[in-house]
Amino acid sequence: MARARPDSPPLFEIIERPDFSVETRAISQGIWPVAGMDEAGRGPLAGPVVAAAVVLDPQNIPDGLDDSKRLSFEQREALFQNIMASALGISMASVSAEGIDATNILRASLEAMRRALCGLALRPKLALADGRDVPPGLPCEGRALIKGDQRSQSIAAASIVAKVMRDRMMADCGRRHVHYGFELHMGYATARHRAAIEIHGPVARLHRTSFAPFRLGAVEIAEG
């Protein structure tokens, strides 16, 4: 007789943390180096999509690695410094708003990850990509891991590097284009950002004009 499911909710939520098990299995099969890849900035209305590729040192993995979205600003900054100091290989790349508009955000994200991987000083034998898709044109075997930044420490490290670098780029955009508040919302469609677009228009080469609300009607591009 089948046991009935309990109808009471769990007392607490179990949050899974990434580990090094996927990488360890690859190492046991003679597959090394292993790189993690992830991107930041798929959803915003402005700015590039930024990707990172990271090869962690199995003997010196920073404590606290996790999906960058589950970390505070202070945690990301501290882990970014630890990753930069301890990883065997780190590379970053981006695709601009113009590049995103010329293709689409999925292709641009995969291309950014491919460029980041190809920029590593050491050549990995396996690349782990966050999501459902493996970037085309990789110089090594690639595997896609759904929710990879919550499963693989290498991908989590890449997600942190990509997020921190993109946030810094958008903060710089905020200093250059003071009406938009990019340093606060990082290009996402907040009420403040939408209001600034209504008043000042989109910024050439920075706003993604293939995204709503731009593609819903004709807009005047503000040079700056």
Side-chain angles (χ1 to χ4, degrees):
M1 182 176 178
R3 180 179 297 177
R5 290 184 178 181
D7 57 3
S8 58
L11 295 178
F12 53 87
E13 180 183 4
I14 299 175
I15 300 176
E16 296 183 358
R17 302 293 183 186
D19 58 31
F20 207 64
S21 59
V22 176
E23 295 88 337
T24 299
R25 285 195 297 272
I27 294 171
S28 70
Q29 297 166 3
I31 303 172
W32 181 257
V34 178
M37 302 182 295
D38 202 0
E39 49 73 27
R42 288 184 65 160
L45 300 180
V49 59
V50 177
V54 176
V55 178
L56 291 174
D57 180 351
Q59 305 303 318
N60 189 17
I61 299 174
D63 291 332
L65 291 175
D66 201 352
D67 174 2
S68 63
K69 297 184 293 296
R70 302 199 301 197
L71 300 171
S72 68
F73 172 84
E74 292 77 14
Q75 288 173 322
R76 286 195 300 268
E77 287 289 329
L79 282 165
F80 176 83
Q81 297 299 330
N82 290 340
I83 294 164
M84 297 298 290
S86 64
L88 300 177
I90 301 171
S91 176
M92 291 156 273
S94 65
V95 173
S96 68
E98 290 179 302
I100 294 168
D101 289 338
T103 55
N104 59 53
I105 186 58
L106 175 58
R107 290 181 181 177
S109 298
L110 296 176
E111 173 61 12
M113 285 195 281
R114 185 195 69 80
R115 293 178 187 178
L117 187 80
C118 291
L120 286 168
L122 71 169
R123 181 62 60 87
K125 291 187 177 179
L126 174 64
L128 305 174
D130 181 45
R132 298 178 178 275
D133 302 292
V134 175
L138 296 182
C140 65
E141 178 188 354
R143 298 179 191 171
L145 294 180
I146 297 174
K147 293 187 178 181
D149 47 11
Q150 299 178 23
R151 297 168 58 190
S152 159
Q153 288 178 324
S154 297
I155 297 177
S159 79
I160 292 166
V161 172
K163 171 64 173 169
V164 170
M165 291 305 299
R166 186 180 189 279
D167 283 359
R168 293 180 179 182
M169 294 167 70
M170 295 309 296
D172 184 62
C173 289
R175 289 187 287 270
R176 294 171 181 268
H177 304 282
V178 296
H179 300 299
Y180 295 86
F182 291 123
E183 73 280 7
L184 302 175
H185 52 66
M186 307 306 169
Y188 283 87
T190 63
R192 172 172 177 169
H193 190 190
R194 287 180 176 273
I197 294 169
E198 287 289 331
I199 297 169
H200 304 287
V203 179
R205 297 176 295 280
L206 183 58
H207 278 103
R208 303 173 182 180
T209 55
S210 60
F211 280 38
F214 310 116
R215 60 181 171 79
L216 299 180
V219 292
E220 181 178 349
I221 304 295
E223 291 288 344

